[in-house]
Amino acid sequence: MDQEDRIALFLDYENLALGARDHRGGADFDFRPIADALAERGRVVVRRAYADWSYFDEDRRMLTRSHVELIEIPQRMGASRKNAADIKMAVDAIELAFERDYISTFVICSGDSDFTPLVHKLRELNKRVIGVGVEGSTSALLPPACDEFLYYDRLEGVDIPPTRSRRGRPTRQPSSDQRPPETELEREPEPEPEVGRRPAGEEPGRDVDALAVQVAQTVAGLQGSANGEVTASRLKRTLLRKDPTFSESDYGFRTFGELLRHLAEHNVIELAEGPAKGDPEVSLPEHGDREVAFGLLRGVVAELGSSGNPVALSGLKNQLRRARPDFSEKKLGYRSFLQFCKAAATGGAVDLRWSPEADDYLLTTQG
């Protein structure tokens, strides 16, 4: 138990509950999916929810059953009530950060950007901060400030809303003329990922090919930093630092390990035994694939410049894709096509030089 993270949970209940009802077809807010998600991340030792509870009579029982301490903010003057709850919650979080050294993680359940300074201060005090908010009512400023951000709508156990409510204070029984929201099945399908198909019924919710590029770039960056081996846990932490809303479940995978195995099967990365069980070492495929890509580049440049003329960099990538439709320099760990061509030139596959007259890079197969 000493290895577990101790978590303090703070809920800006009005923001979270009304956001869920306004943006999820009038559906009631359910605390259980948040509790389950946090149980996977550590031991929750503090649970506090802040609101004027006269507005949430029916919710009090649900929270009490989940051992949440209800903090009463009895002001009823619109914005004053909201500000009072926010300030009280921020003061309590900072006080707890100083008084309880054993608490390593703070969870701020709100989509309000007013909590961004609180998040920054907690991280300054060496605390990990997880945010939780309803996707439709979360400020764009808050997720990037957190170490990890969970959208309530995407948590396991949160149902797709059956109806879409109008804006404003929701009622318990939405009107019958409310139109059902667009479901995942009704939306225009995503392009088929290049890294391979998932089994029927398990199609990822997002573009797995774009994720493969992101993972390859991240692994390449970590390998280049010369800070030791790249483990799965280190890779996951880095992906979350780049995008605190990242979650492998959004791409149709149950665990991060399952995602890595999928990418390894499609030769985006390679996995090897790591320093700890269940934490494999991750690397990019060895130079064999890069040599094949360099050979492809050399062949295309030789064909296009068969009369001895140099080939311009502009438009060259499209020519490579005509020869090999699945070509992507980012899967090989290069951030741009120019960087890939420079690496090929360094390896002797082509000659690359800048031409002021052409205002472009020119490639030839002769040094």
Side-chain angles (χ1 to χ4, degrees):
M1 188 170 67
D2 290 338
Q3 301 299 321
E4 292 181 321
D5 282 339
R6 265 66 165 190
I7 298 174
L9 170 63
F10 292 84
L11 294 100
D12 177 10
Y13 196 78
E14 181 171 353
N15 178 280
L16 201 63
L18 293 185
R21 296 174 195 175
D22 287 346
H23 294 276
R24 307 195 72 256
D28 290 340
F29 172 75
D30 185 6
F31 174 72
R32 177 51 53 187
I34 294 178
D36 290 344
L38 297 182
E40 298 169 356
R41 288 163 171 80
R43 181 179 172 217
V44 181
V45 296
V46 174
R47 302 183 183 190
R48 297 179 185 174
Y50 298 75
D52 183 342
W53 295 105
S54 63
Y55 285 104
F56 303 101
D57 260 342
E58 297 182 24
D59 297 3
R60 300 169 87 165
R61 184 179 304 172
M62 177 258 299
L63 293 170
T64 301
R65 283 199 301 265
S66 298
H67 310 288
V68 177
E69 180 183 0
L70 306 183
I71 308 299
E72 179 73 35
I73 307 296
Q75 299 177 3
R76 297 170 175 267
M77 298 301 294
S80 297
R81 180 185 68 252
K82 173 182 178 296
N83 290 338
D86 290 0
I87 292 171
K88 172 65 173 169
M89 182 168 145
V91 169
D92 285 358
I94 292 296
E95 181 181 40
L96 207 64
F98 279 105
E99 291 186 350
R100 304 288 188 268
D101 289 340
Y102 57 82
I103 295 179
S104 57
T105 302
F106 283 74
V107 179
I108 307 299
C109 293
S110 177
D112 195 337
S113 62
D114 290 349
F115 286 106
T116 304
L118 171 62
V119 172
H120 287 315
K121 180 57 66 176
L122 289 170
R123 295 185 69 185
E124 185 180 322
L125 294 171
N126 198 29
K127 305 297 184 182
R128 174 175 166 80
V129 181
I130 300 174
V132 181
V134 177
E135 191 163 8
S137 63
T138 295
S139 167
L141 299 175
L142 187 59
C146 302
D147 292 293
E148 182 179 4
F149 197 91
L150 307 175
Y151 284 115
Y152 171 78
D153 320 57
R154 304 179 191 174
L155 294 178
E156 186 72 26
V158 177
D159 297 327
I160 297 175
T163 58
R164 187 189 297 266
S165 69
R166 296 166 55 189
R167 297 226 174 205
R169 187 172 293 276
T171 60
R172 290 282 173 179
Q173 307 208 347
S175 59
S176 59
D177 61 348
Q178 290 169 342
R179 186 168 56 89
E182 184 182 43
T183 65
E184 292 294 333
L185 295 177
E186 293 168 341
R187 292 177 185 158
E188 185 176 346
E190 295 280 348
E192 187 64 32
E194 291 180 15
V195 295
R197 295 178 179 268
R198 302 280 292 158
E202 295 186 15
E203 279 294 317
R206 293 186 179 184
D207 188 354
V208 181
D209 191 50
L211 176 63
V213 169
Q214 184 183 11
V215 169
Q217 288 180 330
T218 302
V219 172
L222 290 172
Q223 287 180 328
S225 66
N227 286 331
E229 58 198 7
V230 181
T231 61
S233 58
R234 184 183 176 196
L235 175 60
K236 176 71 177 286
R237 288 195 300 268
T238 305
L239 290 171
L240 283 171
R241 283 196 290 268
K242 288 184 173 183
D243 178 11
T245 68
F246 169 78
S247 174
E248 60 275 1
S249 63
D250 291 339
Y251 298 88
F253 299 96
R254 292 169 294 180
T255 64
F256 190 62
E258 181 181 328
L259 165 62
L260 293 182
R261 289 191 293 273
H262 176 77
L263 295 180
E265 288 171 2
H266 292 88
N267 208 32
V268 177
I269 59 172
E270 289 183 347
L271 298 177
E273 186 176 350
K277 185 177 181 181
D279 192 13
E281 183 177 348
V282 185
S283 62
L284 292 175
E286 287 301 326
H287 295 295
D289 279 351
R290 297 188 190 184
E291 294 301 327
V292 171
F294 291 165
L296 173 66
L297 174 65
R298 180 180 176 84
V300 171
V301 170
E303 181 179 352
L304 294 176
S306 56
S307 58
N309 295 323
V311 179
L313 180 70
S314 301
L316 181 57
K317 183 175 179 177
N318 290 334
Q319 298 296 330
L320 263 68
R321 284 188 164 171
R322 288 193 180 96
R324 182 176 168 182
D326 64 344
F327 171 80
S328 171
E329 74 281 357
K330 292 183 175 62
K331 288 183 183 179
L332 300 170
Y334 299 104
R335 295 182 181 277
S336 67
F337 185 64
L338 174 60
Q339 187 183 48
F340 165 73
C341 291
K342 287 181 177 180
T346 301
V350 294
D351 179 64
L352 177 70
R353 64 180 178 85
W354 172 257
S355 171
E357 296 80 12
D359 193 29
D360 199 353
Y361 283 96
L362 299 180
L363 293 89
T364 61
T365 55
Q366 297 178 355

